[in-house]
Amino acid sequence: MTETRPIDVALENRLMGQGIYVTECTLLSDNDVTAAGFDSVDDLPDGTGLVLEYETVTETSGVGSDEVGTVVRTLLDIANEHGWAPGRLEATSVTTDGAVRGHWHVDQAWFDGLGLELDDLEFSQRVLETIQSEAAQQE
């Protein structure tokens, strides 16, 4: 049985069990960010992107590949269950105190090409190359 919840709630519920807590999630559609609390995942048009902020309890100061992988896999699982093709994902990782640890993103073309012209390894490499650590930006 699939969830018939808003995407923000579906992500929050699944990521929480992985130690990742969604603090903000908004839709990114046609370059226009809309408010969170939207209709069911089943109602999202293909190509709808997300701006996601989450906190994680970790001792590291930067974004880790494990957390990126967990967020991407969870989003893809939800998308596959609902027959939805995600658009761009823009993510910000913060500490439990709200300090930004870093940013990363996934282009819609990478989601679209996954399993076609991009294998899992190349997809992962592209995503991990987008990580911008907050500590590195302050140097």
Side-chain angles (χ1 to χ4, degrees):
M1 182 173 182
T2 60
E3 299 167 82
T4 56
R5 302 179 175 160
I7 186 73
D8 55 341
V9 174
L11 276 170
E12 180 176 33
N13 288 344
R14 292 196 190 183
L15 290 171
M16 197 178 330
Q18 304 294 321
I20 297 173
Y21 305 93
V22 174
T23 56
E24 186 176 332
C25 182
T26 54
L27 289 178
L28 183 65
S29 180
D30 298 323
N31 298 322
D32 181 26
V33 178
T34 59
F38 21 86
D39 292 334
S40 165
V41 177
D42 295 323
D43 298 331
L44 291 176
D46 285 344
T48 300
L50 296 175
V51 177
L52 181 68
E53 181 181 280
Y54 62 89
E55 70 180 34
T56 184
V57 180
T58 183
E59 296 297 318
T60 62
S61 60
V63 176
S65 61
D66 288 346
E67 72 190 66
V68 172
T70 298
V71 171
V72 171
R73 279 190 307 277
T74 302
L75 178 62
L76 286 172
D77 286 348
I78 292 169
N80 287 334
E81 291 168 10
H82 295 276
W84 168 64
R88 182 178 174 89
L89 171 63
E90 297 178 5
T92 301
S93 176
V94 299
T95 66
T96 55
D97 296 331
V100 174
R101 295 175 59 236
H103 307 276
W104 56 274
H105 71 271
V106 182
D107 287 342
Q108 180 178 348
W110 303 345
F111 280 131
D112 293 345
L114 184 58
L116 301 172
E117 66 262 10
L118 290 178
D119 62 22
D120 289 346
L121 181 59
E122 187 173 359
F123 175 86
S124 295
Q125 287 173 332
R126 287 186 183 190
V127 175
L128 294 176
E129 287 172 358
T130 71
I131 295 174
Q132 298 177 350
S133 169
E134 198 63 23
Q137 290 178 0
Q138 292 175 0
E139 293 177 356

